[in-house]
Amino acid sequence: MDADEKPDVDALVVQLKARVERRRREGAYPPELEAEMDAHFQRIASHRPTPYDYEALRVRLGELDHAMGFSPAHIEYGSGLPGGTALHRTVGKAVSRQTAGILEQMHGFAEAIRNVLREMVVVLEHPNAHVHAELLGQVDALMERFADLDRTPQDPLVGLSEVRSRLERLEAAEAARRFTPWFGAATFEDQFRGSKGELRDRYVDLASRLAGCGPVVDLGCGRGEFLQLLAEQGVEARGIEIDRSLVEAGRTIGLPIEYGDAVEWLAAEPDGSLGGIAMIQVIEHLTPKGRTEVVRLAAEKLRPGGRILVETLNPQSLYIFARAFYADPTHDTPVHPAYLEFLLKEAGFRDIGIEWRSPPPEGEPLEPVTGTADDPDQIVAQVNANIARVNAILFGPQDYAILAVR
């Protein structure tokens, strides 16, 4: 046969079959050979891979690509506690560096898995076109990565679990810190602040300071006496209160009171949307950070010309520490009028004025000495001057109100 001549395959097959048959008759093949060959080819056929839907596998890999967006923004820090969202946001900032490191490890690990899976798809689809040693090398590298993660003290899952545990502990501490007494808030107000009628008489003059400033929000409105006074003067106003029992009591008599934290509510309002903000005996309940936040937010939320009115206990009168301040377990610290005036100035308020309110009852301050014929006038004057100074320290006005314009 010439080199360029193509062989007759059919003829060769016929010759081969005839030669096998002749050798079989001559006894060249043992009798069990056919059965063994049949079994051998049956085993080969049974291990032959069935067609696979590689397109479906590619879709799964696409889903993996879409899920590769590891980011701290995907971590939920919500909470059912009042103030819990802010707490989680603060904790989230505090652990952001650790969280970013954990997510970086997880991203690298997922990237390694994705690369191996892609190579496996290609090899399975075209088994004769790739060197399996490369795939085995990648699998070995992946197993080493597994081992590294196992040996690493800051394992991603352990790290995230630790962050979650810390958040849960902080939430529990915050819940324990919140004062939720078994007695009613309305009863407490009657006992230590006065009846509704007494409070209306005490604050009618302050309410007039916000005339024409609607819409006004009364932060920490309590039972709503100040809201009623504003309504009587035709001022559009609503109240925010964190005590649910007081909210329900106010709503029962038709007052527009919402449940919520004063600082969080104010932060959610549009800038320049308010005409007035009132805080009557509230700012002393806030933390130092809460006070600076509420003043800053007030400057943002009030429109130009809007007013803020704050009344609180006067720490320049030592009388309040014996009578008023420690009677309320929810007080944080008193706010010095000079400091509050400073905060308002720094936030951009103007025309800041302080009004001294609620003098101690008659009979509490020291009485001046009355001069007689036997007492020299100079001694009487000096004693009375000293008594006046002591009275100013011990028996100064119990409250002060500060009014400022944006």
Side-chain angles (χ1 to χ4, degrees):
M1 179 182 298
D2 295 335
D4 296 335
E5 187 180 349
K6 294 182 180 180
D8 187 346
V9 177
D10 292 337
L12 290 175
V13 170
V14 171
Q15 292 178 17
L16 182 59
K17 286 182 176 181
R19 186 179 300 176
V20 169
E21 178 61 23
R22 184 176 65 252
R23 291 179 63 81
R24 186 180 66 77
R25 287 197 303 267
E26 292 173 352
Y29 304 136
E32 66 275 7
L33 181 61
E34 279 190 61
E36 289 181 0
M37 292 295 291
D38 287 342
H40 175 70
F41 284 112
Q42 202 60 10
R43 285 194 299 272
I44 293 176
S46 65
H47 285 85
R48 197 181 159 122
T50 58
Y52 186 81
D53 185 0
Y54 293 104
E55 187 59 33
L57 186 55
R58 288 194 185 91
V59 171
R60 296 300 181 195
L61 283 173
E63 293 173 356
L64 177 61
D65 289 340
H66 181 70
M68 286 291 289
F70 295 101
S71 169
H74 296 163
I75 299 175
E76 176 61 42
Y77 288 123
S79 171
L81 289 172
T85 301
L87 171 65
H88 279 223
R89 191 177 304 118
T90 302
V91 174
K93 291 179 180 177
V95 299
S96 60
R97 177 178 287 178
Q98 294 89 332
T99 304
I102 291 168
L103 292 175
E104 183 178 352
Q105 292 184 60
M106 295 180 68
H107 188 279
F109 179 59
E111 181 68 23
I113 292 178
R114 184 175 64 166
N115 290 337
V116 170
L117 291 175
R118 286 190 178 283
E119 189 66 22
M120 290 177 70
V121 169
V122 175
V123 170
L124 288 172
E125 191 173 10
H126 306 287
N128 298 323
H130 292 79
V131 180
H132 290 268
E134 295 178 1
L135 177 60
L136 292 177
Q138 292 189 44
V139 173
D140 288 341
L142 183 59
M143 296 307 294
E144 288 179 6
R145 187 68 178 273
F146 265 122
D148 288 341
L149 289 173
D150 287 338
R151 290 192 299 267
T152 302
Q154 201 64 304
D155 179 80
L157 295 180
V158 173
L160 289 175
S161 176
E162 181 183 348
V163 171
R164 180 178 180 181
S165 177
R166 288 173 63 184
L167 286 172
E168 289 174 348
R169 290 197 300 270
L170 286 170
E171 271 197 336
E174 173 68 10
R177 187 188 66 81
R178 287 191 174 277
F179 184 67
T180 52
W182 43 264
F183 55 81
T187 306
F188 180 87
E189 297 249 334
D190 282 335
Q191 177 71 30
F192 291 100
R193 291 200 63 201
S195 66
K196 290 185 177 182
E198 290 172 333
L199 291 183
R200 283 173 55 85
D201 292 340
R202 187 184 307 169
Y203 290 121
V204 64
D205 59 330
L206 281 187
S208 66
R209 308 290 200 281
L210 295 176
C213 290
V216 172
V217 61
D218 183 5
L219 300 176
C221 63
R223 295 175 298 189
E225 295 90 353
F226 200 72
L227 280 178
Q228 290 177 313
L229 292 170
L230 291 172
E232 290 171 5
Q233 299 198 29
V235 178
E236 177 192 350
R238 54 182 159 168
I240 307 300
E241 174 56 50
I242 201 168
D243 188 292
R244 291 187 183 276
S245 64
L246 295 179
V247 173
E248 293 304 319
R251 287 176 175 174
T252 300
I253 60 175
L255 294 177
I257 300 177
E258 300 176 24
Y259 171 77
D261 176 86
V263 178
E264 290 184 1
W265 184 92
L266 200 58
E269 286 297 287
D271 291 354
S273 61
L274 298 173
I277 296 174
M279 298 181 69
I280 308 298
Q281 298 290 323
V282 170
I283 200 167
E284 69 273 12
H285 295 264
L286 302 179
T287 64
K289 179 176 175 57
R291 294 165 192 167
T292 58
E293 276 296 287
V294 79
V295 171
R296 180 185 66 81
L297 289 169
E300 293 178 358
K301 309 307 175 181
L302 284 171
R303 63 172 180 257
R307 296 180 181 180
I308 181 172
L309 173 65
V310 180
E311 192 215 41
T312 184
L313 294 165
N314 174 25
Q316 296 183 118
S317 172
L318 300 183
Y319 184 82
I320 69 156
F321 295 102
R323 292 290 187 273
F325 184 77
Y326 292 110
D328 189 339
T330 64
H331 283 160
D332 188 89
T333 55
V335 186
H336 199 284
Y339 175 64
L340 185 52
E341 183 182 20
F342 167 80
L343 285 182
L344 291 167
K345 284 182 179 178
E346 290 298 302
F349 286 93
R350 57 186 174 83
D351 300 336
I352 302 171
I354 298 177
E355 177 182 319
W356 306 102
R357 301 175 56 80
S358 308
E362 290 186 12
E364 292 281 350
L366 301 178
E367 294 292 335
V369 176
T370 302
T372 65
D374 298 329
D375 295 324
D377 292 340
Q378 185 177 3
I379 294 177
V380 172
Q382 289 177 342
V383 171
N384 286 341
N386 288 331
I387 290 175
R389 282 194 291 270
V390 172
N391 277 337
I393 296 174
L394 296 179
F395 303 105
Q398 300 176 78
D399 303 314
Y400 69 92
I402 190 165
L403 180 68
V405 179
R406 182 72 178 96

